[in-house]
Amino acid sequence: MIFKTKKWFLIDILYILIALSFSIYSFQNREYDWDLPGYLGCLFESEYPGNIEKIKNETYLSIRKEASLKQFDNLVGASSYRKVLFENADAFNEQLPYYQIKIGYNLLVRAFYLMGFSAPYSVLYLNSLLFFISILFFYFSLKAIYLEYPFFVFFASVLFSSLPVLHYLSRNATPDILLVLLLLVFANFIINNINSYFIFFIIFLIMLSRPDYIIFGLSFYFFKILYEYFLLKKINVNNLIFIILIGTAYFLIIKYYNYPGWKHVFYDSFIYRRNYISDQNPEFSLKTYIDIILKGIVNMKKVILSSLFLTLSILYLSKNIWIKFVAVNLFLNIYLKFLFFPAAGEYRFYVPFIFALFLIFLFELRKIDFIKLKKYNLFKL
């Protein structure tokens, strides 16, 4: 037992050092992408409420101080849209509701800013830290599942933390790295059958971080109601209360920040990027929408294959019907997300669900005696 403890201690330290080096490397290679001004605008809006010219100027001034000349020129001049936002405070201000509704992420950014970090660092250092926490959480979750196989846990975790999409999320201004962490926590809670109030808390944090994940929250509790009604022959009032709380919070957020709505986001993202949201109504036909969906689905091959493999494997391996329900719900949410926002090449929108499925898959895989590796003592202490 002492030998096992010492070996795990050494592997833990080694992996923590690797995770730390990955995080430092990502921060050193941080990118000043076109979403960064939006989140900094939210930060400065809380500093200078209502002063849209000051907010816009402080946003770009803070980036100019830290970004290279090439990075800054690309940020403000790569398209006419970016140039207008840089030059016109009204156009910049009209874009802020798209970012302001992500309350959970913005609160974390503000916390780092209040600790003394510069505005851009408050976003980019935060994402590097979230990346570090995410891969550590994956490692220790996997360790709890495969306690007898430290070398497998180590190598699998190193491969996971090397995934390019994770490094991309850690280097850019996006709340999706936070969603990766929260969905991993959600999967861990499901695996360990954690109290339903803690699961609701995580789902609520997910929705606060990206309100469009309300679809995930509502669908989860819809599946839970079906599961409990048909299989357990009961109705849990808490599920209805959770649905009401999630829906109410979402409604209050979009109303408070005057969020333009899905139609505006879809139009700006896939049809025509408006410099001024107020100047043109986002009108498009059902045929246009279907054409965009059909074009996008062709580029979803990696997402389709990985999510389908993980879901079918969980359905085959698991004896727990509730876990099967959760797996199907996660799988469906990938495609519900695609239907609302068919950015097929932007894997960052789908990987939080895929990583949650992956952790559940690894949990179920242990039930087949780790593919008979015990017989050969491979990866074992």
Side-chain angles (χ1 to χ4, degrees):
M1 180 61 69
I2 295 175
F3 173 71
K4 290 182 179 182
T5 303
K6 285 184 177 179
K7 182 170 284 191
W8 263 120
F9 176 76
L10 293 174
I11 291 174
D12 288 346
I13 295 299
L14 179 58
Y15 183 74
I16 290 171
L17 291 174
I18 291 172
L20 185 61
S21 66
F22 276 150
S23 302
I24 294 172
Y25 176 80
S26 289
F27 182 70
Q28 289 174 339
N29 292 273
R30 59 195 177 276
E31 298 182 15
Y32 294 83
D33 68 333
W34 71 285
D35 275 331
L36 182 59
Y39 293 109
L40 298 188
C42 297
L43 176 62
F44 287 118
E45 202 280 333
S46 61
E47 294 287 304
Y48 314 106
N51 191 342
I52 61 175
E53 192 70 40
K54 178 76 169 176
I55 293 167
K56 190 266 294 182
N57 291 340
E58 287 294 321
T59 293
Y60 287 103
L61 181 61
S62 67
I63 297 173
R64 181 178 293 185
K65 289 178 180 178
E66 297 179 8
S68 68
L69 182 61
K70 182 180 178 181
Q71 288 173 322
F72 187 78
D73 286 345
N74 180 65
L75 184 66
V76 302
S79 66
S80 60
Y81 166 73
R82 296 190 190 186
K83 188 175 182 181
V84 169
L85 293 187
F86 174 60
E87 294 176 348
N88 190 286
D90 288 323
F92 181 80
N93 187 60
E94 285 188 1
Q95 298 292 325
L96 288 186
Y98 288 141
Y99 301 92
Q100 288 172 318
I101 61 170
K102 297 161 187 175
I103 293 177
Y105 185 67
N106 285 321
L107 285 175
L108 289 175
V109 171
R110 181 157 179 77
F112 273 73
Y113 185 69
L114 292 175
M115 284 190 289
F117 291 92
S118 69
Y121 272 30
S122 297
V123 175
L124 298 171
Y125 183 75
L126 167 65
N127 278 16
S128 295
L129 181 61
L130 288 172
F131 169 63
F132 176 70
I133 296 172
S134 296
I135 58 180
L136 274 190
F137 185 84
F138 178 85
Y139 170 79
F140 284 106
S141 295
L142 199 57
K143 176 182 175 180
I145 298 170
Y146 291 106
L147 192 59
E148 294 185 341
Y149 301 97
F151 297 112
F152 167 75
V153 171
F154 175 78
F155 288 116
S157 298
V158 169
L159 287 174
F160 176 78
S161 57
S162 302
L163 290 172
V165 67
L166 280 175
H167 288 262
Y168 170 80
L169 296 181
S170 70
R171 292 195 300 264
N172 290 269
T174 169
D176 294 294
I177 189 65
L178 174 59
L179 270 298
V180 167
L181 174 60
L182 292 176
L183 262 297
L184 285 174
V185 174
F186 168 80
N188 183 285
F189 281 8
I190 293 296
I191 288 169
N192 292 292
N193 196 27
I194 299 297
N195 184 287
S196 61
Y197 290 102
F198 289 104
I199 292 176
F200 168 73
F201 178 69
I202 290 299
I203 291 175
F204 196 78
L205 288 181
I206 289 170
M207 196 276 296
L208 285 183
S209 302
R210 278 196 75 109
D212 53 315
Y213 273 67
I214 186 177
I215 300 169
F216 167 64
L218 296 180
S219 64
F220 173 80
Y221 285 109
F222 174 74
F223 269 68
K224 199 165 191 291
I225 289 170
L226 290 180
Y227 168 77
E228 292 179 348
Y229 180 75
F230 288 106
L231 295 175
L232 304 182
K233 306 302 179 184
K234 68 176 184 178
I235 296 178
N236 190 335
V237 178
N238 283 346
N239 294 327
L240 298 175
I241 295 173
F242 293 154
I243 287 174
I244 293 171
L245 290 174
I246 291 170
T248 301
Y250 176 82
F251 177 79
L252 292 175
I253 290 169
I254 62 173
K255 286 297 181 183
Y256 181 80
Y257 291 109
N258 296 312
Y259 180 62
W262 169 80
K263 198 172 183 180
H264 287 264
V265 177
F266 190 91
Y267 188 87
D268 283 340
S269 301
F270 303 106
I271 299 174
Y272 176 71
R273 174 68 70 174
R274 298 166 296 171
N275 294 330
Y276 297 88
I277 294 176
S278 57
D279 280 359
Q280 183 179 345
N281 290 326
E283 298 298 333
F284 57 92
S285 65
L286 178 61
K287 182 180 182 304
T288 300
Y289 169 75
I290 293 174
D291 286 343
I292 292 170
I293 292 291
L294 293 177
K295 288 178 183 177
I297 199 71
V298 175
N299 298 316
M300 286 280 284
K301 293 187 288 293
K302 291 181 180 179
V303 173
I304 291 171
L305 290 174
S306 58
S307 61
L308 187 61
F309 168 77
L310 291 171
T311 304
L312 292 177
S313 298
I314 293 168
L315 293 178
Y316 174 76
L317 294 169
S318 182
K319 305 301 181 185
N320 187 320
I321 297 177
W322 171 233
I323 284 183
K324 292 182 179 184
F325 264 77
V326 173
V328 171
N329 180 47
L330 289 167
F331 176 78
L332 290 178
N333 266 275
I334 293 171
Y335 300 95
L336 289 173
K337 180 73 174 175
F338 175 77
L339 289 176
F340 279 91
F341 197 78
E346 292 283 352
Y347 297 133
R348 65 189 179 95
F349 295 118
Y350 314 109
V351 292
F353 296 118
I354 294 174
F355 290 154
L357 282 170
F358 183 51
L359 189 57
I360 295 173
F361 163 74
L362 290 173
F363 172 73
E364 296 298 336
L365 187 65
R366 88 203 196 289
K367 296 178 181 178
I368 60 170
D369 205 15
F370 200 47
I371 321 179
K372 305 301 180 183
L373 291 182
K374 273 189 178 180
K375 180 179 178 181
Y376 305 104
N377 290 319
L378 295 178
F379 299 110
K380 193 179 178 184
L381 280 172

